[in-house]
């Protein structure tokens, strides 16, 4: 800083100017008096000159002294303020020992800097805390300004923005908003900004269902933006639909036998039937329907235990070939009665399953063969085949149950292991009927053996179920 621009410099110039003006004024009026009354006027003139020089010197000395005492702390204050302006809130003014206003200013400045540092630290901690919460949230959080530009997101929100940015949403061009707002959110964002209200709803995007909550962000001038919280509830909606469908299906399954039991029992009680043959027929229907309800309850209990992981399994070595032959012998009589060829093609002498439940695997094969017979006509071959598949980690015994019956439409293949699939129009229920839970039970039993089950089918050409089980080959 230049001296004459400082406060002390300006003060010094002012004092020097005043002293010079006074001396000049005195000189103009005193010089004629000195010339006429003093013997040697030059002595008095020299005295005036010496006095002026001493006055100017003393004034200059005190000016520089004051300049040092005042400007040095001010420079320290300026330097500390500049450091704080650049973001270093730990900067402090070197202690100034003076007790005047400048010393008090320095102490006040240091106290202000400490308070500001604490406030900034608290704000930083809150920011980091909020950022950690947002990063750990499974929900997507996106903040927009008033015109739709994205201000901030968490990782889930950013991923969703990138995913939705590829969607074409031309029907939303009526809203004059920034294209940063994803198409599915534009009408909701427009409502929040225009009406300053929170909106909660569900939106369907492709095959997904999203729960969306968008609320306004306010400032003193009104709505300055909006924050959206999005949660993928596709699985929840699917499970809710499955629950409702399950209740509807089981109600339908129970209603029919109950109605028949009630109707035929009332007929017997009212003595509507008189002949022994008719009475025996009604009793047989009641017996069959009671057995059907018993199978339904048993299958429901088995499925509930399996899905809860409480099904008791009896693990032991199982000879897969022997098991397959035993099941085939059980169906040989039925095959002859219905005129359906039943064959087997086993490509090795023995397949040993090191740890399996023989009864449960027999239940699997029985269920699949029962379905094959139910949906096959006379002369349509049912074949049981085995093969070995070796991958990098395991040998697999694959059992194929192949029929040449009605087949399953391709769009329904992904649903056949769900409960009550038998209601599908492509596969009619035979005379004996089933509970519709068999394939769901089969899938759970196979997965309990660390295996997997797959299906391939073509309408009118038949269906093949393939069961893959880990095994040890024995030659």
């Amino acid at each position: 800083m230049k001296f004459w621009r400082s406060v002390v410099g300006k003060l010094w110039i002012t004092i020097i100017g005043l002293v010079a003006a006074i001396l000049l004024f005195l000189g103009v009026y005193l010089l004629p008096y000195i010339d006429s009354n003093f013997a040697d006027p030059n002595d008095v003139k020299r005295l005036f000159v010496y006095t002026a020089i001493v006055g100017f010197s003393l004034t200059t000395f005190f000016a520089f002294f004051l300049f040092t005492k005042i400007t040095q702390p001010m420079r320290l204050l300026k330097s500390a303020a500049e450091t704080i302006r650049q973001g270093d809130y730990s900067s402090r003014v070197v202690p100034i020992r003076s007790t005047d206003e400048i010393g008090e200013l320095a102490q006040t400045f240091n106290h202000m800097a400490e308070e500001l540092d604490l406030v900034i630290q608290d704000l930083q901690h809150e920011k980091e805390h909020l950022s950690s919460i947002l990063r750990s949230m499974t929900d997507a959080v996106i903040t927009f300004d008033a015109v739709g530009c994205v201000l901030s997101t968490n990782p889930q929100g950013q991923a969703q923005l990138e995913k939705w940015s590829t969607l074409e949403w031309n029907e939303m061009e009526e809203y004059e908003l920034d294209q940063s707002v994803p198409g599915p959110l534009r009408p909701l964002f427009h409502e929040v900004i225009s009406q300053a209200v929170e909106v909660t709803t569900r939106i369907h995007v492709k095959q997904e269902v999203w729960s969306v909550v968008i609320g306004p962000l306010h400032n003193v001038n009104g709505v300055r933006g909006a924050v959206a919280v999005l949660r993928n509830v596709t699985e929840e909606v699917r499970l809710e639909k499955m629950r409702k469908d399950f209740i509807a299906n089981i109600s339908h399954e129970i209603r029919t036998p109950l109605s028949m039991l009630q109707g035929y029992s009332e007929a017997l009680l009212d003595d509507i039937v008189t002949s022994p043959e008719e009475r025996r027929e009604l009793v047989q229907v009641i017996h069959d329907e009671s057995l059907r309800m018993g199978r339904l309850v048993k299958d429901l209990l088995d499925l509930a235990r399996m899905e809860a992981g409480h099904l008791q399994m009896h693990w032991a070595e199982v000879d897969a070939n022997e098991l397959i032959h035993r099941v085939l012998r059980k169906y040989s009589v039925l095959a002859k009665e219905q005129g359906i060829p039943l064959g087997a093609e086993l490509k090795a002498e023995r397949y040993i399953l090191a740890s399996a439940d023989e009864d449960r695997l027999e239940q699997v094969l029985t269920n699949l063969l029962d379905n094959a017979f139910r949906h096959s006509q006379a002369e349509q071959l049912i074949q049981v085949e085995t093969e070995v598949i070796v991958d990098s980690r395991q040998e697999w015994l694959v059992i194929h149950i192949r029929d040449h019956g009605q087949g399953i439409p391709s769009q329904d293949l992904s649903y056949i292991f769900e409960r009550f699939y038998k209601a599908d129009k492509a596969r009619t229920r035979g005379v004996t009927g089933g509970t519709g839970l068999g394939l769901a039970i089969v899938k759970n039993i196979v997965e309990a053996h660390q295996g997997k089950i797959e299906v391939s089918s073509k309408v009118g050409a038949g269906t093949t179920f393939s069961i893959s089980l880990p095994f040890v080959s024995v030659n």
Side-chain angles (χ1 to χ4, degrees):
M1 178 185 294
K2 295 182 179 180
F3 173 73
W4 56 83
R5 290 185 178 179
S6 64
V7 175
V8 176
K10 293 177 180 179
L11 179 62
W12 176 77
I13 291 173
T14 302
I15 294 173
I16 292 297
L18 290 174
V19 171
I22 293 172
L23 291 175
L24 288 174
F25 178 78
L26 292 175
V28 169
Y29 286 94
L30 290 177
L31 285 177
Y33 177 78
I34 292 172
D35 290 337
S36 60
N37 293 283
F38 288 90
D40 189 0
N42 291 328
D43 293 337
V44 178
K45 293 177 181 180
R46 282 194 296 272
L47 178 62
F48 271 98
V49 172
Y50 294 153
T51 301
I53 292 174
V54 171
F56 285 129
S57 300
L58 290 175
T59 304
T60 303
F61 173 77
F62 283 109
F64 277 101
F65 175 76
L66 290 174
F67 179 78
T68 302
K69 295 291 290 183
I70 295 176
T71 58
Q72 183 178 8
M74 298 300 292
R75 283 197 301 268
L76 294 175
L77 284 169
K78 178 185 176 183
S79 177
E82 182 67 21
T83 303
I84 291 177
R85 186 186 68 83
Q86 294 175 358
D88 183 8
Y89 300 100
S90 61
S91 178
R92 300 291 183 270
V93 179
V94 177
I96 299 174
R97 298 179 179 179
S98 61
T99 58
D100 54 10
E101 291 82 355
I102 295 177
E104 293 178 356
L105 176 61
Q107 293 177 1
T108 303
F109 183 89
N110 287 338
H111 180 69
M112 179 197 69
E114 290 176 0
E115 294 293 330
L116 183 61
D117 189 21
L118 292 176
V119 171
I120 296 299
Q121 288 181 10
D122 291 340
L123 290 176
Q124 187 65 27
H125 290 161
E126 289 295 327
K127 181 180 178 181
E128 293 175 356
H129 181 64
L130 178 60
S131 179
S132 298
I133 293 175
L134 290 176
R135 285 195 304 269
S136 62
M137 288 179 63
T138 57
D139 297 345
V141 181
I142 310 172
T143 304
F144 304 97
D145 63 11
V147 296
C149 294
V150 177
L151 298 178
S152 63
T153 67
N154 63 347
Q156 292 77 9
Q158 182 62 36
Q160 204 56 43
L161 282 175
E162 295 173 358
K163 183 178 180 180
W164 282 356
S165 64
T166 59
L167 298 178
E168 295 183 2
W169 221 266
N170 297 328
E171 62 269 23
M172 295 303 166
E173 290 180 354
E174 57 182 291
Y175 302 113
E176 296 180 359
L177 301 173
D178 190 279
Q179 295 300 311
S180 297
V181 179
L185 300 180
R186 289 177 195 168
L188 305 177
F189 178 81
H190 175 78
E191 181 179 353
V192 170
I193 295 298
S194 60
Q195 301 181 17
V197 295
E198 183 179 283
V199 177
T200 301
T201 186
R202 283 185 176 180
I203 60 175
H204 295 260
V205 183
K206 299 297 183 181
Q207 302 299 322
E208 298 178 334
V209 182
W210 290 84
S211 174
V212 181
V213 179
I214 302 184
L217 299 175
H218 298 277
N219 59 12
V220 293
N221 298 321
V223 178
R224 63 179 180 87
V227 57
V229 180
L230 300 88
R231 174 179 295 178
N232 192 332
V233 294
T234 306
E235 186 65 17
E236 297 176 15
V237 172
R238 187 185 71 84
L239 292 175
E240 179 65 17
K241 183 178 182 301
M242 286 181 61
R243 185 185 67 83
K244 293 179 179 179
D245 291 345
F246 174 75
I247 294 175
N249 286 328
I250 197 171
S251 300
H252 172 75
E253 289 297 325
I254 293 177
R255 185 185 300 114
T256 301
L258 282 178
S259 299
M260 297 184 70
L261 288 173
Q262 181 179 354
Y264 287 126
S265 61
E266 288 176 354
L268 291 174
L269 289 173
D270 296 338
D271 290 328
I272 296 176
V273 180
T274 57
S275 65
E277 292 78 10
E278 291 180 349
R279 186 180 300 275
R280 187 180 302 108
E281 183 179 350
L282 293 184
V283 171
Q284 184 63 45
V285 171
I286 293 174
H287 179 262
D288 292 341
E289 292 301 324
S290 63
L291 291 178
R292 179 181 168 192
M293 288 188 64
R295 289 195 302 270
L296 176 62
V297 172
K298 179 179 179 297
D299 287 347
L300 282 172
L301 290 175
D302 284 346
L303 188 58
R305 292 192 191 100
M306 291 176 187
E307 293 182 348
H310 297 153
L311 182 65
Q312 186 176 3
M313 305 287 285
H314 302 282
W315 303 105
E317 283 192 358
V318 176
D319 189 329
N321 278 16
E322 181 181 342
L323 173 63
I324 293 172
H325 283 300
R326 184 169 68 250
V327 175
L328 290 176
R329 285 194 300 269
K330 184 169 62 174
Y331 277 91
S332 59
V333 176
L334 179 62
K336 291 179 181 179
E337 291 178 353
Q338 297 186 5
I340 298 176
L342 179 60
E345 185 177 343
L346 310 182
K347 298 184 178 180
E349 294 183 0
R350 297 184 66 194
Y351 295 125
I352 299 298
L353 303 177
S355 180
D357 188 323
E358 187 171 0
D359 291 338
R360 291 297 177 181
L361 289 181
E362 182 174 349
Q363 182 181 358
V364 168
L365 296 177
T366 299
N367 194 301
L368 295 178
L369 282 172
D370 185 65
N371 284 343
F373 275 97
R374 191 181 307 141
H375 304 293
S376 298
Q377 303 296 327
E379 305 302 329
Q380 292 180 338
L381 174 66
I382 296 177
Q383 182 87 354
V384 179
E385 303 173 359
T386 59
E387 66 172 324
V388 176
I389 296 178
V390 181
D391 59 21
S392 58
R393 296 176 296 176
Q394 180 69 55
E395 286 185 294
W396 298 89
L397 170 62
V398 183
I399 305 173
H400 302 285
I401 293 89
R402 194 186 316 275
D403 68 60
H404 295 80
Q406 297 171 345
I408 306 170
S410 58
Q411 66 269 21
D412 295 329
L413 287 176
S414 58
Y415 303 105
I416 65 170
F417 294 106
E418 293 184 2
R419 300 165 179 176
F420 301 105
Y421 171 74
K422 70 185 183 66
D424 186 271
K425 296 179 181 180
R427 296 174 72 88
T428 60
R429 182 169 61 197
V431 177
T432 59
T435 62
L437 300 172
L439 291 179
I441 293 174
V442 164
K443 182 179 180 182
N444 278 274
I445 293 175
V446 172
E447 290 179 349
H449 285 77
Q450 307 301 318
K452 54 187 177 181
I453 183 169
E454 299 173 339
V455 60
S456 61
S457 183
K458 185 177 180 182
V459 175
T463 303
T464 300
F465 284 91
S466 300
I467 305 167
S468 300
L469 300 169
F471 87 108
V472 178
S473 59
V474 178
N475 296 323

